[in-house]
Amino acid sequence: MSAATETLVPFDEAISRYDPVMGLEIHIELNTATKMFCGCPTEFGAEPNTQVCPVCLALPGALPVVNAKAVESAIRMGLALNCEIAQWCRFARKNYFYPDMPKNFQTSQYDEPIAFDGYVDVEVEGETFRIEIERAHMEEDTGKALHVGGSTGRIHGADFSLVDYNRAGIPLIEIVTRTIEVPAEKAPAVARAYVSYVRDLIGGLGVSDVRMDQGSLRADVNLSLKPKGSDVLGTRSETKNVNSFRSVERAVRYEISRHAGILDAGGKVVQETRHFQEDSGTTLPGREKSDADDYRYFPEPDLAPVSPSREWVEELRATLPEPPAVRRARLQADWGFSDLDMRDTIGAGALDLIVATVEAGTTPQAAKKWWLGEMARRANESGQDIDALGITPQQVAEIQALIDAGRINDKLARSVFDGVIAGEGTAEEVVVSRKLEVVSDDGALGAAVDRAIEADPDAAQKVRAGNLGVAGALIGAVMKEMRGQADAGRVRELILEKLS
Amino acid sequence: MSTDLTRKTADELAQSLAAKEVSSVEVTQALVDRIGAVDGAVHAFLHVDAEGALATAADIDDRRAKGEQLSYLAGVPIAIKDVLATKGMPTTCGSKILEGWIPPYDATVTATIKAAGLPILGKTNMDEFAMGSSTEHSAYGPTHNPWDTTRIPGGSGGGSAAAVAAFEAPLAIGTDTGGSIRQPGALTGTVGVKPTYGGISRYGLVAMASSLDQAGPVTRTVLDAALLHELIAGHDPMDSTSIPDAVPPVVAAARRADVKGLKIGIVKELGGEGFQPGVEARFTEAVELLTSAGAEVVEVSIPSLKYALGAYYLVMPSEASSNLAKFDAMRYGVRVAPAGVDDPSAEQVMASSRDAGFGDEVKRRIILGTYALSSGYYDAYYGSAQKVRTVLARDFAAAFADVDVLVSPTSPTTAYPLGEKLDDPLAMYLGDVATIPANLVGIPGLSLPVGLADEDGLPVGLQFLAPQKADDRLYNAAAALERMLEQNWGGTLLSRAPELEAAR
């Protein structure tokens, strides 16, 4: 079945007759140095099968050992999500066969998660919605199958398949919400706001890179519809691995329209997993889920139970940063930013960069000027993230300090950025090596002014006659000769002195 | 004392090596020759590494000559059950599915043995993935009991026990999930010990049932078992179920050998009906010896024991069904294309490989375990079995509140003829009825040879059980009994075993 054959009901029409019931699952890859159950490194993008050992390859006899750092990250995450932390919990085996699963069971948590019964409050258009968290549990990632040959990169039509086990055993946390029921028209935005909120919350903890584009944060959207006024839950679909906030919102909208189309036609929604299509904004069916799925969970006998002491949990609670919303409100007040400034800052992903630049001794206004101006422009031109340009908040602060000291101006600063990004040294070294320092020496400037006056007697005459606006042309000529390094204010003074 | 090096105990060899009366190369060569002479009749080994063992022996002799400080057992050869990973040496678990697999890593037990300088003679035969009580379920053919080669040696560690009983190795490593060290020990007249669960690392032990599996020593004397136990025991950070505590002083206990004032409980439920008369007779005599040496003997009841076998045959296959899922032809082992399929799917290749690679008993247990864990049956089967374990542990704790150690016959019968119970799995399962409870509750057990049954002239074993982490009590009591028995017999029981060369 392809998307084209689906009968969709327009969203507004669909929500006039049905209410959506959602559940969201977010998988977060932890940024621990080693895997969940062995000492293999977790670096992204390594050569296939170079980060593997007997344990994560499930060689006969190898045994897992829990990564204590991953448990710590899971507890901090649970606390940030306002969860209870289990006094005692176990891992379980989720048994099923798949070529990229080395053990053919996934070591996960089942009925005894490390964190449970939490909530977060998210805001949509000034209204707050409480999303209840059922659980956050630890598990390991599987390997990755690569299908070679064929046009789609999928298994159908491929000549052969290869398996990369580098990912196998990477620690994951899965955060599962309770049923989310919000006013139908708000559901897509609430879903997006929730995923975005969790991304910021977890990002603030420093336990994950939370990069949706690299798959370190993946969202699954479970959705069903019930006719307005009915209590009977419909059959749900599970849209897997949605990989941007916008896509979360679109996936919810699309599934509402699609389910309504099926129900209106008297059909039955199939319980299945679906894949979101970025280009078309639609979903396509994946594996059909049936009642035959039986993971035969049982407690993992190879691992000792996890029983974090209450003292440790409280120590970890004390390390939690402020929640993102509180932090933003505080920063906005401290910096005196308008709502618009703040929204632009967050939208550009520059909040932490500005914080760091301010901490390095720059005013918030100056920091914002560079990050939302020059750096945003460069990022946009090169198609990079603003934090991947190769310049640090510390370096921005150093350049601003040179401006504040009058040694360079804003225009020269752009060349300094070029030099620093090109790796030519510190801002100071770039200023020296590229000879960018502003010239305010009257001797050199005076001579340049004399040459400018001589070269343009017409303009000089007009200035003498009191038409001071024409001085700009002479200043421009001096600046050109001095390659932008003249102190413009002093040049103007010298011109006026000489022509008075 | 025999001058034949193959007949010496590990302790005697260790002393002779330390005194430089003999070299490790001489000892190792004698054993390699013995294996060459008799293993055709016994089939204790799946793989013999004469070259590797002699190289280790030469290295140890060299280091000893230089005056290096060596471990007590350095230079004493050993055989290892083929269920433990040995780097560079085939490891098959007695299964076709791992035929030709050479692990790139060592089990912790193997690594410890290598570091201590014990020449590894080879890998011993076993029931496939340790599933069986007779070593007839090996994909590479059965092992024969050195006492009577028409009979089973017990299982699943029949290869290790037979190697020791046939004087092919003074020491062997076995693994015990429901009795696989102790039951073959009893049937071959050797000493077999299942240490406290977690006392010896499971890292590199190819799992049958993770919560039950335990490696341990197979030897000809209690002291030898203690020496090997102390060598391989201890905490391993690679095994999260490994006990962090200090190793119990088992060697000191074996040397002490004093049961005066010791309280010994006879487990009422492990004897009587279903136990062979000759087994009962030797057991009763042994208990009388213990009494005569000053032990106080009382009868103890463990009412929940009647549920142990049932619980075991739910837990064990459940865990096994999951542990064996990794044998899917993706990373190692045999890969078999399905017959008559042009473009097979990954699932079809997995299925046909598993079909070709696993034997009947393994398939039987995978199916049983898959069923017991499946939704709707979990509570009734796996869940209930775990509850039985809890109750059983409580009952044992209550018994150990009154007595220091418990005793029973190790196996209800002596070794039966090959093939007799092969088609009757339930009858075969009953052979482990006395040994299984220790695995379910994680306590240590030791089987000691206590004589020959009158009706068939085959060895009988007596099992000692002790509380968790009190392994030393087993060695103390068993060594005391062993000393009295050997005085009566004028030597070890094994000295009465038939000469295999003559039998051939």
Side-chain angles (χ1 to χ4, degrees):
Chain A
M1 199 194 326
S2 78
T5 65
E6 305 266 16
T7 312
L8 301 175
V9 172
F11 180 75
D12 290 339
E13 205 185 306
I15 61 171
S16 70
R17 290 196 291 277
Y18 300 99
D19 280 325
V21 178
M22 294 189 296
L24 293 162
E25 290 170 21
I26 299 180
H27 292 261
I28 291 169
E29 184 181 313
L30 297 179
N31 60 6
T32 51
T34 57
K35 292 186 180 180
M36 188 75 220
F37 300 114
C38 67
C40 283
T42 53
E43 209 175 301
F44 182 78
E47 283 287 300
N49 296 312
T50 53
Q51 301 186 346
V52 293
C53 72
V55 176
C56 57
L57 280 178
L59 295 193
L63 293 175
V65 175
V66 176
N67 180 342
K69 190 72 193 171
V71 173
E72 179 184 304
S73 297
I75 293 172
R76 294 184 73 222
M77 207 181 277
L79 291 170
L81 295 164
N82 299 302
C83 285
E84 300 289 322
I85 303 301
Q87 308 229 8
W88 189 91
C89 65
R90 277 186 298 196
F91 283 93
R93 292 186 183 181
K94 182 181 182 180
N95 292 282
Y96 63 104
F97 278 87
Y98 208 75
D100 67 7
M101 279 229 307
K103 294 174 291 196
N104 284 312
F105 58 79
Q106 183 184 24
T107 307
S108 178
Q109 291 193 305
Y110 177 52
D111 50 355
E112 300 169 304
I114 182 93
F116 52 94
D117 288 351
Y119 66 88
V120 292
D121 290 328
V122 302
E123 212 175 283
V124 172
E125 291 162 8
E127 200 180 340
T128 300
F129 297 91
R130 173 155 292 193
I131 310 294
E132 294 188 6
I133 310 290
E134 183 183 300
R135 54 191 289 158
H137 69 251
M138 300 180 274
E139 61 183 32
E140 58 177 343
D141 209 345
T142 62
K144 190 176 157 193
L146 305 158
H147 306 294
V148 182
S151 54
T152 60
R154 302 181 69 158
I155 194 164
H156 297 290
D159 295 329
F160 57 90
S161 301
L162 299 170
V163 191
D164 177 6
Y165 293 103
N166 281 354
R167 289 190 72 88
I170 298 266
L172 299 177
I173 304 291
E174 182 175 345
I175 303 167
V176 183
T177 66
R178 292 223 165 81
T179 305
I180 302 169
E181 292 188 67
V182 296
E185 69 278 11
K186 299 270 173 62
V190 169
R192 174 186 183 144
Y194 167 71
V195 178
S196 168
Y197 184 92
V198 170
R199 201 273 306 256
D200 289 348
L201 187 69
I202 304 309
L205 296 176
V207 298
S208 168
D209 302 337
V210 289
R211 296 271 302 252
M212 286 190 94
D213 57 335
Q214 287 188 359
S216 62
L217 188 152
R218 309 186 298 242
D220 298 348
V221 177
N222 294 314
L223 187 131
S224 67
L225 293 187
K226 61 181 185 185
K228 286 225 183 275
S230 164
D231 285 336
V232 184
L233 286 177
T235 305
R236 70 188 165 90
S237 61
E238 185 177 359
T239 305
K240 301 287 273 185
N241 296 337
V242 187
N243 63 2
S244 74
F245 302 138
R246 182 163 166 264
S247 297
V248 169
E249 185 166 2
R250 291 167 82 203
V252 171
R253 284 183 78 91
Y254 182 81
E255 283 295 281
I256 289 173
S257 293
R258 189 180 70 86
H259 281 223
I262 295 167
L263 297 174
D264 276 2
K268 280 188 73 173
V269 175
V270 181
Q271 184 170 328
E272 64 185 354
T273 59
R274 297 184 68 88
H275 299 287
F276 186 71
Q277 311 295 305
E278 285 292 336
D279 47 356
S280 59
T282 62
T283 66
L284 287 178
R287 183 164 58 100
E288 200 168 308
K289 269 205 171 179
S290 69
D291 293 339
D293 259 330
D294 182 352
Y295 294 119
R296 305 189 309 281
Y297 283 101
F298 74 104
E300 166 58 273
D302 283 328
L303 286 171
V306 175
S307 50
S309 75
R310 293 299 96 182
E311 294 74 21
W312 188 38
V313 170
E314 290 314 309
E315 271 171 38
L316 293 177
R317 194 191 299 278
T319 68
L320 293 184
E322 325 169 74
V326 175
R327 176 169 180 254
R328 283 174 191 180
R330 177 179 60 78
L331 290 173
Q332 189 180 346
D334 285 357
W335 293 346
F337 279 17
S338 68
D339 288 350
L340 184 64
D341 285 346
M342 204 63 191
R343 204 178 309 151
D344 289 347
T345 299
I346 292 161
L351 188 70
D352 291 329
L353 296 167
I354 293 177
V355 168
T357 311
V358 171
E359 280 170 1
T362 305
T363 65
Q365 288 302 332
K368 178 173 69 102
K369 173 188 73 182
W370 290 118
W371 288 109
L372 294 190
E374 181 68 16
M375 296 305 135
R377 184 184 61 74
R378 285 173 187 250
N380 198 32
E381 279 172 6
S382 61
Q384 281 175 295
D385 284 326
I386 193 167
D387 53 2
L389 288 171
I391 191 144
T392 64
Q394 184 63 37
Q395 288 164 330
V396 171
E398 283 167 17
I399 291 166
Q400 180 61 40
L402 291 171
I403 294 168
D404 293 344
R407 293 192 44 208
I408 57 170
N409 55 33
D410 280 13
K411 199 171 164 226
L412 291 166
R414 299 207 171 95
S415 290
V416 183
F417 280 125
D418 289 340
V420 170
I421 289 172
E424 293 169 18
T426 64
E428 178 73 42
E429 286 162 2
V430 171
V431 166
V432 172
S433 67
R434 291 199 175 195
K435 300 192 175 66
L436 296 173
E437 194 142 8
V438 167
V439 177
S440 49
D441 167 37
D442 276 4
L445 290 182
V449 166
D450 288 343
R451 284 193 288 277
I453 290 170
E454 204 183 314
D456 195 352
D458 190 36
Q461 187 51 45
K462 282 180 180 156
V463 174
R464 276 201 192 91
N467 188 353
L468 299 185
V470 180
L474 295 171
I475 296 167
V478 174
M479 291 302 275
K480 193 175 174 192
E481 188 187 331
M482 303 292 288
R483 293 173 24 251
Q485 283 168 263
D487 179 338
R490 184 65 193 143
V491 170
R492 183 182 171 83
E493 282 170 20
L494 286 172
I495 289 169
L496 296 183
E497 267 172 37
K498 286 177 191 281
L499 298 178
S500 62
Chain B
M1 198 179 292
S2 171
T3 53
D4 179 355
L5 290 176
T6 66
R7 300 254 161 183
K8 286 187 183 289
T9 68
D11 185 50
E12 287 164 354
L13 289 173
Q15 290 182 37
S16 298
L17 287 165
K20 297 181 188 163
E21 295 162 4
V22 66
S23 73
S24 177
V25 168
E26 288 173 87
V27 174
T28 307
Q29 187 62 57
L31 290 160
V32 166
D33 292 346
R34 173 77 182 170
I35 293 168
V38 304
D39 206 53
V42 178
H43 194 218
F45 284 89
L46 290 178
H47 176 79
V48 177
D49 183 21
E51 204 177 311
L54 286 165
T56 303
D59 178 51
I60 288 298
D61 288 339
D62 191 40
R63 287 166 58 190
R64 201 186 299 277
K66 285 182 189 150
E68 269 186 51
Q69 186 75 33
L70 299 170
S71 80
Y72 187 71
L73 290 175
V76 179
I78 190 168
I80 297 179
K81 188 176 180 181
D82 204 29
V83 73
L84 285 150
T86 43
K87 188 176 180 178
M89 193 187 288
T91 299
T92 68
C93 300
S95 181
K96 286 282 181 214
I97 209 158
L98 277 176
E99 189 162 19
W101 184 62
I102 297 178
Y105 80 108
D106 273 325
T108 299
V109 166
T110 312
T112 305
I113 285 169
K114 285 184 179 174
L118 281 72
I120 297 171
L121 294 165
K123 306 296 288 291
T124 57
N125 199 9
M126 58 185 284
D127 282 303
E128 184 176 0
F129 287 105
M131 296 180 189
S133 306
S134 68
T135 316
E136 291 167 287
H137 291 296
S138 167
Y140 303 99
T143 295
H144 301 261
N145 193 321
W147 288 82
D148 176 349
T149 54
T150 68
R151 291 178 186 260
I152 62 148
S156 65
S160 287
V164 171
F167 301 99
E168 295 173 276
L171 299 171
I173 298 289
T175 62
D176 190 312
T177 305
S180 296
I181 293 174
R182 292 162 289 159
Q183 185 258 13
L187 270 45
T188 60
T190 53
V191 177
V193 185
K194 181 205 100 72
T196 295
Y197 180 77
I200 288 165
S201 173
R202 280 191 301 117
Y203 188 78
L205 191 177
V206 183
M208 165 161 66
S210 307
S211 72
L212 304 165
D213 294 341
Q214 182 59 60
V218 182
T219 61
R220 294 198 284 265
T221 69
V222 174
L223 178 59
D224 281 3
L227 290 168
L228 184 53
H229 185 134
E230 209 156 270
L231 177 71
I232 59 176
H235 182 241
D236 179 9
M238 299 288 279
D239 173 1
S240 99
T241 59
S242 154
I243 296 173
D245 307 9
V247 178
V250 292
V251 173
R255 294 195 194 279
R256 188 166 67 246
D258 178 11
V259 292
K260 194 167 288 173
L262 196 74
K263 287 191 77 174
I264 298 177
I266 298 175
V267 185
K268 194 176 95 182
E269 290 81 2
L270 295 178
E273 206 181 322
F275 283 71
Q276 193 177 312
V279 170
E280 286 274 348
R282 291 296 89 78
F283 173 72
T284 307
E285 286 167 16
V287 170
E288 280 163 11
L289 273 181
L290 286 166
T291 312
S292 71
E296 186 190 335
V297 179
V298 295
E299 192 174 75
V300 171
S301 175
I302 299 183
S304 57
L305 266 179
K306 57 179 171 290
Y307 305 114
L309 196 66
Y312 177 82
Y313 277 97
L314 290 168
V315 172
M316 176 271 295
S318 294
E319 293 185 7
S321 70
S322 174
N323 283 331
L324 294 180
K326 62 168 65 85
F327 299 95
D328 62 0
M330 286 293 140
R331 281 142 293 133
Y332 43 77
V334 299
R335 180 180 292 185
V336 178
V341 182
D342 283 343
D343 194 9
S345 67
E347 285 79 5
Q348 285 171 318
V349 173
M350 281 188 211
S352 56
S353 300
R354 290 166 68 82
D355 183 31
F358 288 139
D360 288 347
E361 184 61 23
V362 172
K363 286 175 187 159
R364 176 156 42 230
R365 295 194 194 191
I366 289 172
I367 290 165
L368 273 172
T370 304
Y371 183 78
L373 286 175
S374 58
S375 95
Y377 299 101
Y378 179 92
D379 289 338
Y381 295 131
Y382 188 83
S384 302
Q386 291 293 17
K387 285 179 193 144
V388 169
R389 291 178 84 167
T390 307
V391 174
L392 199 58
R394 204 179 58 206
D395 282 3
F396 268 103
F400 285 123
D402 293 333
V403 299
D404 299 305
V405 294
L406 294 168
V407 291
S408 76
T410 308
S411 166
T413 67
T414 55
Y416 47 83
L418 286 156
E420 189 179 271
K421 295 183 183 172
L422 204 48
D423 298 324
D424 189 355
L426 290 178
M428 195 182 281
Y429 295 170
L430 281 170
D432 294 335
V433 69
T435 50
I436 277 169
N439 300 83
L440 285 172
V441 298
I443 59 173
L446 180 153
S447 178
L448 179 78
V450 289
L452 305 176
D454 297 327
E455 55 271 32
D456 52 22
L458 291 168
V460 173
L462 178 145
Q463 172 180 243
F464 291 93
L465 298 172
Q468 267 179 6
K469 304 184 201 176
D471 305 51
D472 50 331
R473 289 190 202 172
L474 302 177
Y475 287 96
N476 174 44
L481 180 56
E482 179 187 54
R483 190 174 292 174
M484 292 183 278
L485 287 166
E486 292 193 358
Q487 264 163 20
N488 294 351
W489 298 333
T492 65
L493 186 68
L494 278 172
S495 61
R496 294 201 249 161
E499 278 298 326
L500 281 157
E501 293 89 334
R504 284 200 303 161

